Amino acid sequence: MYDSQDTDVITSVQSKAEKSVVLTFDDGPSKVLTQILDILEAEDVPAIFFWQSRLLYSERPWKRVLQEGHIIGSHTTKHPNLVKLPYEKQFEEIQNSITKIERITGSKIEYFRPPFGQYNADTIEAAKQLNVTPVMWRIASIDWELKEDPQQIMTNVIDHLEDGAVLLMHELKQTVEVLPELIKAIREKGYRFTLLDH
């Protein structure tokens, strides 16, 4: 069961008995992916990684991502603002990304996140034709702007926690720095970590 103003786009999930959040990371696979995976493994937290396929090579630790129960989704090939592109180009960006990720990982792509969170009717239609579900977010950590102030990432998330929220984070050094503390703080607020039940 999904809760969103646009019924075609997921921003949060309605949980069962206990409060939960979904942790997502954009713009990888990056150099800090292994560090993120180490933290997630130590804390037993699942996550969804939305990857730009231009950054994915066979040597990246994608096998570990899947083996440890995480999900890989598409974040297009080159991270364009899709609303500035005609339908055909949007379709191509998403399709090429899905094809490359599936070819390398052998795993079916079910989820897609539009770059910058920008989408229109053409984006939704392209996603529908490609059989992927668009996933947005309810809480943005703003981690990409907080290289000098990682603690603010914590505040941006903790102050806005709500049941079922999808959290937006990125594969960045400052995110790695606060991730263990952030996971602990979220749990202390009574939330568990889950994946999309789709």
Side-chain angles (χ1 to χ4, degrees), residues 8-192:
D8 293 312
V9 177
I10 296 171
T11 59
S12 63
V13 288
Q14 290 179 354
S15 65
K16 314 291 185 287
E18 49 188 329
K19 297 188 295 185
S20 66
V21 291
V22 178
L23 193 57
T24 67
F25 294 90
D26 282 10
D27 290 349
S30 76
K31 291 176 183 172
V32 299
L33 175 59
T34 301
Q35 291 169 269
I36 290 172
L37 290 173
D38 287 346
I39 295 165
L40 296 179
E41 183 182 29
E43 298 292 339
D44 194 24
V45 170
I48 305 175
F49 292 86
F50 290 99
W51 283 353
Q52 297 177 45
S53 60
R54 70 186 175 92
L55 302 174
L56 178 59
Y57 307 97
S58 302
E59 302 77 41
R60 298 278 192 193
W62 58 265
K63 282 184 186 169
R64 187 178 164 195
V65 173
L66 297 174
Q67 284 166 354
E68 294 179 4
H70 308 296
I71 292 172
I72 298 171
S74 164
H75 199 41
T76 70
T77 301
K78 297 177 181 172
H79 206 272
N81 185 338
L82 293 174
V83 300
K84 295 182 177 177
L85 301 177
Y87 173 81
E88 295 74 18
K89 291 286 185 191
Q90 291 199 42
F91 184 92
E92 196 177 285
E93 265 289 330
I94 304 167
Q95 183 183 46
N96 289 346
S97 173
I98 291 168
T99 302
K100 182 176 178 184
I101 296 171
E102 289 183 344
R103 189 181 72 241
I104 290 176
T105 66
S107 178
K108 182 164 169 38
I109 298 299
E110 293 182 40
Y111 300 109
F112 155 73
R113 175 170 283 161
F116 312 105
Q118 298 292 311
Y119 66 93
N120 57 20
D122 285 345
T123 320
I124 300 297
E125 181 57 29
K128 207 172 277 182
Q129 292 302 316
L130 291 163
N131 202 27
V132 289
T133 303
V135 179
M136 294 293 287
W137 59 85
R138 183 60 59 93
I139 300 170
S141 66
I142 322 290
D143 52 357
W144 64 94
E145 289 182 4
L146 295 168
K147 193 173 181 181
E148 306 303 322
D149 188 13
Q151 281 303 311
Q152 186 61 42
I153 298 170
M154 291 273 301
T155 305
N156 291 344
V157 173
I158 299 303
D159 287 358
H160 298 95
L161 279 176
E162 60 180 80
D163 187 23
V166 175
L167 311 182
L168 170 66
M169 308 196 79
H170 293 77
E171 292 188 33
L172 297 166
K173 191 178 170 195
Q174 59 266 30
T175 307
V176 171
E177 196 177 315
V178 298
L179 191 55
E181 190 184 347
L182 179 61
I183 290 169
K184 185 174 179 230
I186 290 170
R187 281 186 168 143
E188 283 173 353
K189 293 278 188 182
Y191 291 84
R192 68 184 181 92

